[in-house]
């Protein structure tokens, strides 16, 4: 299966890390479907830009909390590209800065629905075709918070820790079908979602303590995804790739 026949689904691909992943995979020659929640124009602008540069990209509105929405979008993707999804990048996520004692039941439920249940449903819905084709790549974008815990983001850290475990469990079940399942645990990366944390006093201290002496770039995350999608990474499965500049050795 050549790269230009492979269909990738990137959730939350209109901005931030997801946008970087869409850019890199499109440049590499994949057919790239990506989802957005509210920012339709931002998604459309990215789609147009990449397609004008020779890409094969399509954006779809999707509610990651809803199985019905996910099933509908996967059906639209398979019809649009006349083929099944062979690469899934679970990137869509939310974060929230809140002291543990102030986290509400709704905060917790929303965090788990978006950051954990969404990737679970997406994985469950694309796996039958991957098994049928005896080839697949599942990559979950997680966080260093899921490895060493969170201070003002306990519920976020818990959701990302569970996503690492989901990656490992799926690797145990599906690697024998030629499907790899891995997580990328990112440290501090400059994105819209991390801007508030990086601008805080706590965030500035964290940056000063990074052994690499800087925050990571979106391109570095996207290039790691590109490698895990490749045939060269076919024996890497059930792993958590730490992209954190030396903040955590796991």
């Amino acid at each position: 299966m050549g790269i230009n026949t492979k269909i990738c689904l990137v959730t939350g691909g209109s901005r931030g890390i997801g946008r970087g992943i869409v850019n890199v995979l499109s440049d590499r020659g994949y057919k790239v479907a990506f989802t957005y929640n509210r920012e339709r124009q931002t998604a459309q602008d990215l789609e147009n830009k990449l397609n004008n540069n020779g890409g094969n990209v399509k954006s779809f509105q999707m509610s990651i909390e809803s199985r019905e929405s996910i099933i509908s979008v996967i059906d639209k993707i398979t019809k649009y590209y006349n083929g099944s999804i062979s690469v899934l990048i679970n990137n869509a996520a939310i974060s929230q800065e809140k002291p543990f004692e102030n986290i509400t039941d709704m905060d917790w439920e929303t965090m788990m629905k978006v950051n954990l249940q969404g990737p679970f449903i997406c994985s469950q819905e694309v796996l039958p075709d991957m098994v049928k084709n005896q080839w697949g790549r599942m990559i979950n974008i997680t966080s260093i918070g899921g490895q060493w815990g969170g201070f003002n983001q306990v519920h976020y850290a818990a959701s990302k820790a569970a996503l690492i475990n989901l990656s490992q469990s799926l690797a145990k079940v599906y690697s024998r079908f030629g499907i790899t399942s891995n997580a990328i645990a990112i440290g501090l990366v400059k994105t819209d979602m991390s801007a508030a944390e990086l601008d805080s006093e706590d965030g500035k201290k964290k940056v000063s303590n990074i052994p690499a002496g800087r925050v990571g770039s979106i391109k570095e995350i996207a290039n790691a995804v590109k490698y895990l999608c490749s045939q060269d990474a076919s024996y890497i499965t059930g792993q958590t790739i730490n992209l954190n500049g030396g903040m955590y050795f796991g």
Side-chain angles (χ1 to χ4, degrees):
M1 191 189 291
I3 283 174
N4 60 359
T5 67
K6 287 177 185 165
I7 302 165
C8 305
L9 168 57
V10 182
T11 66
S14 64
R15 60 194 184 114
I17 290 168
R19 186 184 183 93
I21 293 169
V22 171
N23 272 296
V24 165
L25 294 184
S26 176
D27 288 347
R28 188 76 176 89
Y30 291 98
K31 297 173 180 176
V32 185
F34 71 93
T35 70
Y36 64 94
N37 186 13
R38 297 187 187 92
E39 298 185 16
R40 181 179 180 278
Q41 193 56 56
T42 303
Q44 190 64 58
D45 290 345
L46 176 60
E47 178 185 328
N48 293 341
K49 174 189 165 191
L50 293 176
N51 288 338
N52 288 339
N53 286 324
N56 193 348
V57 175
K58 183 67 178 169
S59 61
F60 298 87
Q61 194 284 327
M62 187 174 85
S63 298
I64 194 74
E65 309 96 318
S66 163
R67 185 179 290 269
E68 183 181 351
S69 179
I70 291 169
I71 290 172
S72 173
V73 167
I74 290 172
D75 183 57
K76 288 174 186 173
I77 292 168
T78 56
K79 285 175 179 170
Y80 181 83
Y81 285 115
N82 193 29
S84 59
I85 294 162
S86 53
V87 176
L88 170 66
I89 294 102
N90 282 311
N91 168 74
I94 57 171
S95 66
Q96 184 185 43
E97 294 266 343
K98 210 169 196 184
F100 178 69
E101 60 271 21
N102 294 338
I103 294 171
T104 66
D105 290 350
M106 185 57 71
D107 292 333
W108 183 273
E109 184 179 335
T110 302
M111 190 68 66
M112 295 301 161
K113 274 189 172 178
V114 174
N115 291 5
L116 181 61
Q117 185 170 304
F120 152 68
I121 296 170
C122 288
S123 301
Q124 201 173 54
E125 293 298 332
V126 302
L127 270 164
D129 281 331
M130 290 183 181
V131 171
K132 181 181 173 184
N133 295 328
Q134 297 287 288
W135 200 95
R137 297 286 183 269
M138 292 187 292
I139 301 164
N140 293 313
I141 307 301
T142 180
S143 164
I144 191 172
Q147 297 170 303
W148 68 5
F151 188 75
N152 277 323
Q153 299 188 68
V154 172
H155 48 342
Y156 172 80
S159 71
K160 291 300 189 177
L163 190 56
I164 290 172
N165 192 273
L166 177 66
S167 307
Q168 295 168 337
S169 296
L170 293 180
K172 282 180 183 275
V173 179
Y174 290 100
S175 293
R176 63 194 175 96
F177 298 108
I179 301 164
T180 66
S181 172
N182 293 290
I184 296 178
I186 64 173
L188 292 178
V189 180
K190 187 78 171 179
T191 65
D192 292 343
M193 202 162 82
S194 68
E197 181 186 4
L198 291 176
D199 288 339
S200 70
E201 285 309 308
D202 251 8
K204 288 172 184 173
K205 277 183 195 171
K206 285 180 187 175
V207 173
S208 69
N209 289 326
I210 298 172
R214 62 175 177 85
V215 297
S217 73
I218 289 173
K219 186 74 177 286
E220 286 168 322
I221 308 302
N223 281 334
V225 170
K226 179 177 73 172
Y227 174 66
L228 288 177
C229 290
S230 72
Q231 192 58 33
D232 290 339
S234 61
Y235 204 56
I236 300 174
T237 191
Q239 303 305 308
T240 301
I241 311 299
N242 295 329
L243 283 176
N244 59 39
M247 289 175 73
Y248 172 81
F249 305 133

